[in-house]
Amino acid sequence: MRRLGASRYARADRTDGGQAPRGGGAPATGARASARPARLVPDPRGTPFTFWYALVLLGTSLYARYGDPATVSALLHGSSTDVAHLATVPLLVLFASALWVAGGLASPYALGLVLVLTALERRVGGPRAAAVFLAGHVTATLATEIPVGLWVMAGWLPETSLHRLDYGISFGLLASAGALTALFRPLPRAAVLAGVSALLLLDLLAYEDPLSNWGHPLALLTGLAGGPLVRRWAHVREQRRREESQEQA
């Protein structure tokens, strides 16, 4: 679903007649920017937000699978971002709903989240990657649930619609994926967006969960809208890395 764009190598200034920089090794930025398989997965030092968040999701997914069914059901319903909860405890459920993976570890969203968030955090940093994820999660949730409340008030939907079960990471994941593509070259970006859009269209045509299916494109668009800001963040972060590398040389 993603492909991390190639990082640019920082060029070392040559001040000794074209000889390699002192120390005999490759520039530090080049080492960091090289494409290594280990960089595709999170680690506590390089991507702390993704690493610890993934561990939390692993724990909740295992509990959802092996824990007491009644307790699990109560927790999931208590974490649901349905209209009833959003009207009474909005901050609690917006946070708690992102602690569960719909479908558990077998869901493709679980692997997608790890890969996408790792790539995004390496380029823009943990707090900003978290901000992108939350922006998509909150925006798409409110954009799909608020109309439900209005339709119930108008009598177009039954009151049971106020208590639908709604939780998971998919909105945040798609916003993060949309933001990440802003760092790609035009052709790979177009290819990734075309593939993701095709999958979302198939979900809409299947019409199994209309609210979530409409929320997914909204989350993706939220990430795409933040693309210019994400590029700016990545540029600033790369500049800082280059400055640190020059100071250490």
Side-chain angles (χ1 to χ4, degrees), residues 20 89 126 149 157 181:
V89 284
L157 286 176
T181 61

Side-chain angles (χ1 to χ4, degrees), residues 27-49:
T29 9
R32 284 195 299 264
S34 60
R36 298 190 299 267
R39 291 179 61 83
L40 299 178
V41 294
D43 65 84
R45 290 191 61 186
T47 54
F49 166 67

